[in-house]
Amino acid sequence: MQSNWSIKELERKSGYKFKSFELLKQAVTHSSFANEHKMEGLKDNERLEFLGDAVLEIVSSEFLFVHYPEMPEGDLTKFRASIVCEPTLALCARELELGNYLRLGKGEELTGGRKRDSIVSDAMEAVIGAIYLDGGFASAKEFIHRFILKDIEHKKLFYDSKTILQEIVQGDFKEDGISYVLAGEEGPDHDKKFYVDVLIGEKVIARGTGHTKKGAEQEAAYRAIITLKGKIEGTCI
């Protein structure tokens, strides 16, 4: 079980001081942990996640509306989706090392739940919901700007990397297609690391690593974009 001291460390990292510390404790409590401690009356973070998701959507919508005044509605919707999707939120949560502070059941703990994007991203939304309830919209907005909307173009590039790479290859390497090849894997089943090469035609352009094959493919595509942009434009992103 995570101690109050440990969760206090998360509070410090978040930059927000809770009036009701119990809300933050609930935000990091996974349903598996709550189910194992029913007699203690613990609440899991699912309702806070529901609330945080709604707050995140309106804050990110406002941010894009203000900062991208020429972008049409359809593109704004796609951009917002890339911000609030599971992999992006999990990436943002790494700055807080949020996975280290989660209260998980024994099964989730043993199967690598602290590193699972779905669990960490849900907890990130739950923290947003907890801050909103405790300190209001302005406090939640400040947290979202600090940890999610910062460096937004880089995040968009990373999580749209496979699509962007496909567009680059179609425009500049019409005769060759893209393929992703598993180059290796290591580690136990609950903490596996995958290595994936991305090829244009038969040439390896870049290699990515990740805890899932999809994640490794995304990183490989991102690294390939950096390489190709440098060759095509003489510059790096």
Side-chain angles (χ1 to χ4, degrees):
M1 178 186 291
Q2 296 297 331
S3 66
N4 284 349
W5 179 87
S6 175
I7 300 173
K8 279 285 187 183
E9 185 178 62
L10 172 62
E11 180 186 51
R12 178 185 58 78
K13 287 182 178 181
S14 76
Y16 176 75
K17 178 70 173 177
F18 278 83
K19 294 185 285 291
S20 174
F21 189 63
E22 290 301 312
L23 279 170
L24 181 57
K25 289 172 67 175
Q26 182 182 346
V28 298
T29 301
H30 188 258
S31 58
S32 61
F33 185 91
N35 288 337
E36 288 182 7
H37 297 79
K38 287 181 180 178
M39 297 300 292
E40 299 173 27
L42 290 174
K43 296 180 180 179
D44 64 39
N45 62 8
E46 292 180 357
R47 284 172 57 85
L48 287 175
E49 174 204 339
F50 165 79
L51 181 60
D53 174 69
V55 176
L56 174 59
E57 182 159 323
I58 192 168
V59 171
S60 57
S61 297
E62 179 193 45
F63 178 88
L64 296 178
F65 184 85
V66 171
H67 287 84
Y68 297 86
E70 304 303 321
M71 186 176 285
E73 182 270 342
D75 291 339
L76 286 171
T77 299
K78 292 177 184 177
F79 199 167
R80 183 182 63 197
S82 74
I83 295 169
V84 302
C85 70
E86 179 181 295
T88 303
L89 291 179
L91 175 68
C92 297
R94 289 176 198 165
E95 187 174 346
L96 281 169
E97 297 180 299
L98 184 55
N100 293 343
Y101 304 101
L102 299 180
R103 303 203 289 182
L104 301 175
K106 293 177 182 177
E108 288 293 350
E109 186 76 69
L110 291 173
T111 56
R114 294 189 187 281
K115 295 181 179 179
R116 191 168 298 131
D117 282 2
S118 59
I119 291 177
V120 177
S121 63
D122 287 351
M124 192 69 169
E125 290 182 329
V127 170
I128 293 170
I131 293 174
Y132 173 79
L133 284 180
D134 192 77
F137 183 77
S139 296
K141 180 177 178 179
E142 182 178 345
F143 176 85
I144 291 168
H145 276 258
R146 180 178 178 184
F147 289 101
I148 296 174
L149 298 178
K150 182 179 72 175
D151 198 19
I152 194 171
E153 289 291 346
H154 175 270
K155 290 167 183 169
K156 179 178 184 295
L157 171 63
F158 186 85
Y159 285 106
D160 285 350
S161 57
K162 293 181 72 173
T163 300
I164 294 170
L165 179 60
Q166 184 70 42
E167 292 171 352
I168 291 173
V169 171
Q170 288 176 345
D172 296 279
F173 303 88
K174 293 183 176 64
E175 69 281 4
D176 295 313
I178 298 173
S179 59
Y180 295 89
V181 177
L182 181 64
E185 56 185 83
E186 62 182 20
D189 288 342
H190 69 271
D191 192 21
K192 188 81 73 179
K193 181 178 286 186
F194 297 92
Y195 300 89
V196 170
D197 290 335
V198 58
L199 292 77
I200 298 179
E202 298 182 357
K203 184 178 180 181
V204 175
I205 304 300
R207 172 170 291 185
T209 63
H211 289 290
T212 63
K213 291 178 184 178
K214 181 179 178 180
E217 289 176 359
Q218 286 175 322
E219 182 173 299
Y222 175 75
R223 293 183 181 278
I225 292 168
I226 299 297
T227 299
L228 294 176
K229 285 287 188 179
K231 290 179 179 179
I232 295 168
E233 301 174 2
T235 60
C236 288
I237 295 174

